[in-house]
Amino acid sequence: MIPATADHHADTHTDTDAGTQPAAELRWRRALGLQFLGPVQGSGLRDVAYLVRRSDDQMVQLSELLHLVVVHVEPPRPAAEVAAAVSAAYGRTLTAEGLEHLITTRLQPLGLVLPEESEELARPVRARPILALTAKATLLPMRWTRRVAAVLSPLLWPPLVMAALAGLVVADIAMLTSGGFWPAITELFVTPTLALVIYALLILAAVFHECGHAAACHYGGARPGEIGVGIYIVFPAFYTDVTDSYRLGRGGRVRTDLGGLYFNVLTVLVLAAAYSATGMGLLLLTALTLQVQMLQQLIPVVRFDGYYVVSDVAGVPDLFARVLPVLRSLRPGHPVDPRVTELRPYARRFVAGWVLVVVPLLSALLAWTLWHLPEFVARARTGIALQQLVFDVAWQRRDWPAMTLAVISIALILVPLVGIAVVLWRLATSLTEFARVRMAASARAWEERTGLEGDGHGPAAAELPPVLTAADFTDAIMYSPKAPVPGRGWRRTVYDASGHLLNPGPSAVEQRRHELERRLRTPIKGSHRVVVMSRKGGVGKTTISLALGSTFAMLRGDRVVAVDANPDAGNLAHRVAPPHDRTITDVLRDLDTITSYAALRTYTAQAAESRLEVLASDDDPRIWTALDRNDYHRLIQLLDQFYNLIVLDTGTGILDSANQGLLTEADQIVLVVRSGLDGGRAGALTLDWMDEHGFEDLVSRAVVVVNAQRNGAAPPDLMRRHFEKRCEHVVTVPWDDALEQGALTDMSSLNRKTRESLVDIAAAVADNFVRMGDRS
């Protein structure tokens, strides 16, 4: 069984009076019978996932935030108190409105959290994986399954397992060299009713196979559920509920997956011993047929044991749910799907490899099946007619075993055909639903772009007034809205080659880039001061200051200045333009005479490409004292009069008076850290110091930039989550050789991924422009 996740969207709901009651006063409670099983062990996800078992034994996988909500919602109390408790445990603020949204859209449909006075959900959401078992019936209840598993679990003792595997090799050699295979086949043809005995033995072996899964689950310390039978597509199949094995580590889960095959090995050894003692050919055929079924179970492309082994090795329980996200992410020029980025690097590579094998294989199998389907049907009709003839002859002789065998044979002929029909029907309905959803999404996107309601009644928000006035002479009223056009790639080629008749629209990458640039161009009231800081040297702080300021200068229309506020011979100005003979010291000396932007412009250098202006620090070796906080205060007061955005590149000493003064002047900080553990520790200590000294607001609004090292190693997941909880945004900037030289740097020389990450940083900074408002 696959655990449901909090990403499911449910159509069921419970009527409440939430629409008329303030969010802060709402109350919820946990559903009855919940069991908290702790974090998933050996998960392939970047973020920690937690398991909760419902009273119906459905396992639900939750993110850390949703898990904390379920934990703290009990005892029932006002939503404001619950939100405060979750915020304290999570490390980031959750409002009462945010809590209400999480509960009503995620947790309530899953049957985990309910309004205080409501009844239990009759049909909470359950996981419905592709090709799932249906029409299930219990063969062995949970309590008996656990007793059987406890008795059989000693068979999983590792030395015994190794001995059994070695015995299997010996047994196979003995059976294949005994010379009894072809006589057994001849005997089966002479007496076809012997096939009934083989079927019965294989069914018993299948039940023992399920006992192996239960015993392996128990051996690892988890509790197996019921053993039952269901329909897999249309094929009868046995199953064992081992969802509790998700609380085990990767090794325990893989042992559970292979426990059934190991018990098949034990069955083969018993059959081989019985054949050696009796010489009965049907035992030999049963042992060999069972091993063919074991090989079939190892196929990882459908939900056999091999699939679950691959799933647990990767640490990803829902492999089929990742197929489309992986395929979308492999398209050139398209962003990586969130269902892929949430995976750890090794899991991402593992799942991508599985998808690249499974999708072509299943597609080829489907095409081959469709091509040969008429031949299958014709041969099936011939086989059924032959078995009908056998049945008629057996009926005349009252040969009941032969009649039973004929009926079973007809059923075995029909089952694959019905299965193919069911698969094709499900595939057709899935494709139809997919096309319907995509068409609906495209229609909604078009309506949003054009301002149409989509009901065929024409413009809704921009209907023409009865009499035009001068105020109505606008683009929105006078001209029809234009659909956005692609800027690059095959979409642009199609658009140009068709004479602008065909417009595929911008790609997802372009749309994301346009959205980031829209955020980046958020208007500023007055001026905005951004302090770029780091507690360690050599982490790329000056590089980020340069890149951030250049990005703003290129994509915004207002004035941007970067100030080299590093007292220890900062080199920001040397990265932008040839050396300039005027510095901060000169500006402070002439402060009273600088009364216009033109006058101030003579003190700054300007990049030729980005038009970013830079005010250099004084690196004259004859200087004895550094500038203090009062000097920087006077400087910033001057810059506020002539610039909309001020980027301040600070020194590394957080205890330095000048740096503390810059923090006092800052509207926002950008904290630069290395991707290594020492860089993360220094960054966390910096935030701790700021929290302890009255800069909590700056910490909560901070943008953390992780500068990747040359080897491309990503920051540890726990380190990234630490900063995500404490700060507004975390962005990793990839290594770029163009930034390594420490010389004049043009933005056009950077790699595309580097430029995109810089735009992401700038957009995150710009998100605070509106929140801060005008300082005056």
Side-chain angles (χ1 to χ4, degrees):
M1 297 178 70
I2 301 297
T5 68
D7 294 329
H8 285 288
H9 298 280
D11 296 326
T12 59
H13 67 277
T14 300
D15 293 328
T16 68
D17 58 351
T20 60
Q21 188 176 2
E25 299 178 6
L26 294 174
R27 292 171 177 262
W28 292 276
R29 64 175 178 85
R30 285 186 212 146
L32 299 177
L34 296 186
Q35 299 180 37
F36 297 93
L37 303 180
V40 178
Q41 302 296 322
S43 174
L45 302 179
R46 287 181 177 272
D47 296 325
V48 179
Y50 293 81
L51 292 175
V52 177
R53 184 198 293 274
R54 293 194 316 224
S55 59
D56 61 351
D57 286 332
Q58 171 71 55
M59 199 80 73
V60 182
Q61 184 173 292
L62 300 175
S63 66
E64 182 181 3
L65 177 58
L66 293 177
H67 180 261
L68 288 173
V69 171
V70 179
V71 170
H72 290 283
V73 80
E74 196 78 20
R77 56 193 188 277
E81 297 182 19
V82 177
V86 173
S87 300
Y90 190 59
R92 297 194 68 174
T93 301
L94 176 66
T95 64
E97 291 76 13
L99 176 69
E100 179 188 8
H101 175 76
L102 291 177
I103 290 177
T104 56
T105 62
R106 302 290 186 88
L107 298 175
Q108 192 170 322
L110 288 170
L112 300 178
V113 177
L114 305 172
E116 184 180 15
E117 302 300 331
S118 68
E119 298 180 355
E120 297 288 318
L121 282 179
R123 298 180 62 186
V125 172
R126 293 187 63 88
R128 300 184 183 277
I130 300 174
L131 303 180
L133 282 170
T134 58
K136 294 190 293 186
T138 300
L139 292 180
L140 198 61
M142 179 175 59
R143 64 180 183 275
W144 286 104
T145 300
R146 292 177 179 175
R147 293 178 182 177
V148 171
V151 171
L152 297 177
S153 60
L155 295 176
L156 275 298
W157 187 44
L160 186 58
V161 173
M162 299 302 297
L165 294 177
L168 177 65
V169 175
V170 174
D172 279 340
I173 294 175
M175 286 188 293
L176 293 176
T177 58
S178 66
F181 177 74
W182 291 113
I185 293 293
T186 303
E187 183 183 7
L188 180 63
F189 286 159
V190 172
T191 313
T193 54
L194 290 177
L196 293 176
V197 180
I198 296 178
Y199 292 152
L201 292 175
L202 291 176
I203 290 174
L204 292 176
V207 174
F208 193 57
H209 173 100
E210 300 305 327
C211 292
H213 288 306
C217 181
H218 181 275
Y219 187 89
R223 297 184 301 172
E226 66 182 19
I227 293 178
V229 63
I231 302 298
Y232 186 62
I233 306 177
V234 295
F235 300 94
F238 296 100
Y239 71 90
T240 304
D241 181 2
V242 291
T243 52
D244 199 52
S245 66
Y246 282 101
R247 64 194 299 182
L248 304 178
R250 182 178 289 110
R253 294 199 302 271
V254 172
R255 183 196 300 113
T256 302
D257 299 333
L258 295 175
L261 291 175
Y262 169 64
F263 272 43
N264 282 153
V265 170
L266 298 180
T267 305
V268 171
L269 294 179
V270 172
L271 290 171
Y275 168 69
S276 177
T278 64
M280 295 179 61
L282 66 89
L283 298 176
L284 173 64
L285 294 180
T286 304
L288 297 179
T289 304
L290 180 57
Q291 292 184 75
V292 172
Q293 291 183 349
M294 292 168 60
L295 294 176
Q296 175 188 331
Q297 282 289 337
L298 289 174
I299 297 175
V301 298
V302 289
R303 293 184 186 276
F304 294 151
D305 289 346
Y307 167 84
Y308 292 106
V309 171
V310 171
S311 174
D312 287 326
V313 169
V316 182
D318 50 350
L319 287 177
F320 276 114
R322 312 277 174 171
V323 171
L324 286 180
V326 168
L327 294 179
R328 283 195 293 262
S329 302
L330 292 176
R331 295 178 299 176
H334 286 75
V336 181
D337 192 280
R339 296 297 303 275
V340 177
T341 57
E342 69 180 2
L343 299 177
R344 296 177 185 269
Y346 81 87
R348 185 185 305 181
R349 292 190 292 269
F350 200 104
V351 174
W354 178 83
V355 169
L356 292 177
V357 171
V358 167
V359 170
L361 188 60
L362 290 181
S363 300
L365 179 61
L366 177 62
W368 184 86
T369 301
L370 291 175
W371 179 261
H372 292 89
L373 186 58
E375 183 179 354
F376 287 154
V377 174
R379 290 182 179 271
R381 293 177 59 184
T382 301
I384 292 174
L386 177 60
Q387 294 301 323
Q388 179 66 45
L389 180 60
V390 171
F391 182 87
D392 292 340
V393 173
W395 175 263
Q396 294 174 2
R397 298 179 178 180
R398 297 299 187 266
D399 187 348
W400 301 107
M403 292 165 55
T404 304
L405 182 60
V407 171
I408 293 176
S409 299
I410 292 174
L412 292 177
I413 293 173
L414 288 175
V415 163
L417 294 178
V418 177
I420 292 173
V422 171
V423 169
L424 295 178
W425 171 256
R426 289 185 177 179
L427 181 62
T429 54
S430 298
L431 292 176
T432 302
E433 179 64 16
F434 178 77
R436 186 190 66 79
V437 172
R438 290 298 300 269
M439 292 176 62
S442 300
R444 288 194 299 270
W446 175 255
E447 292 167 11
E448 293 175 359
R449 290 198 300 265
T450 60
L452 298 179
E453 292 286 352
D455 57 1
H457 298 297
E463 292 185 357
L464 292 178
V467 178
L468 292 177
T469 65
D472 298 316
F473 282 74
T474 63
D475 290 350
I477 292 179
M478 293 296 179
Y479 299 105
S480 300
K482 296 181 179 179
V485 299
R488 61 186 182 186
W490 68 268
R491 297 168 182 267
R492 183 69 191 188
T493 302
V494 170
Y495 181 71
D496 292 336
S498 65
H500 299 178
L501 294 177
L502 298 178
N503 180 10
S507 66
V509 173
E510 281 191 273
Q511 293 178 28
R512 182 177 184 275
R513 175 63 182 252
H514 292 161
E515 173 60 20
L516 289 176
E517 292 182 0
R518 183 196 64 76
R519 290 165 50 197
L520 188 149
R521 295 190 179 97
T522 301
I524 301 176
K525 295 182 179 179
S527 66
H528 195 83
R529 309 159 182 172
V530 180
V531 170
V532 183
M533 60 185 300
S534 170
R535 199 165 184 174
K536 291 179 65 70
V539 301
K541 173 178 53 62
T542 297
T543 298
I544 295 301
S545 301
L546 164 66
L548 179 62
S550 299
T551 302
F552 274 122
M554 292 178 67
L555 298 178
R556 293 180 62 90
D558 41 18
R559 296 172 182 170
V560 183
V561 64
V563 179
D564 193 341
N566 188 344
D568 299 320
N571 67 339
L572 178 61
H574 297 275
R575 304 285 298 276
V576 172
H580 195 281
D581 59 352
R582 291 193 172 186
T583 66
I584 294 176
T585 304
D586 298 314
V587 173
L588 292 173
R589 183 193 62 215
D590 304 335
L591 198 63
D592 295 336
T593 63
I594 302 175
T595 58
S596 66
Y597 170 72
L600 180 58
R601 178 66 184 83
T602 62
Y603 294 84
T604 62
Q606 188 175 56
E609 180 187 31
S610 67
R611 313 304 293 171
L612 170 69
E613 294 183 47
V614 174
L615 184 56
S617 65
D618 203 330
D619 57 0
D620 192 331
R622 294 170 295 178
I623 294 178
W624 285 84
T625 59
L627 301 177
D628 60 19
R629 62 192 306 164
N630 292 327
D631 294 326
Y632 283 115
H633 175 73
R634 292 188 297 138
L635 174 66
I636 292 174
Q637 291 294 323
L638 173 68
L639 297 178
D640 278 341
Q641 302 176 39
F642 304 110
Y643 294 94
N644 301 99
L645 185 60
I646 305 169
V647 179
L648 297 153
D649 179 22
T650 67
T652 56
I654 195 172
L655 299 180
D656 182 83
S657 173
N659 284 341
Q660 293 183 24
L662 290 174
L663 287 177
T664 305
E665 304 282 350
D667 293 319
Q668 189 173 8
I669 66 167
V670 174
L671 178 64
V672 184
V673 301
R674 282 194 337 114
S675 59
L677 185 61
D678 56 343
R681 183 185 300 111
L685 289 173
T686 300
L687 298 180
D688 291 342
W689 185 92
M690 293 178 65
D691 280 335
E692 293 292 333
H693 292 80
F695 297 107
E696 298 92 343
D697 289 344
L698 288 179
V699 171
S700 64
R701 296 195 304 271
V703 176
V704 177
V705 177
V706 181
N707 248 340
Q709 299 174 341
R710 175 180 286 276
N711 59 13
D717 293 331
L718 292 177
M719 168 179 158
R720 179 178 57 85
R721 288 199 295 271
H722 170 85
F723 289 118
E724 286 177 345
K725 285 185 177 183
R726 302 184 66 178
C727 304
E728 182 74 22
H729 202 67
V730 178
V731 181
T732 299
V733 177
W735 176 269
D736 198 317
D737 290 331
L739 298 174
E740 183 182 12
Q741 298 177 352
L744 291 176
T745 304
D746 291 330
M747 296 297 291
S748 58
S749 64
L750 304 181
N751 292 327
R752 178 177 59 85
K753 290 185 177 180
T754 305
R755 294 196 301 270
E756 290 176 353
S757 65
L758 296 175
V759 173
D760 197 0
I761 297 170
V765 171
D767 287 340
N768 282 282
F769 292 169
V770 174
R771 302 176 194 172
M772 294 299 300
D774 192 348
R775 186 179 301 99
S776 59

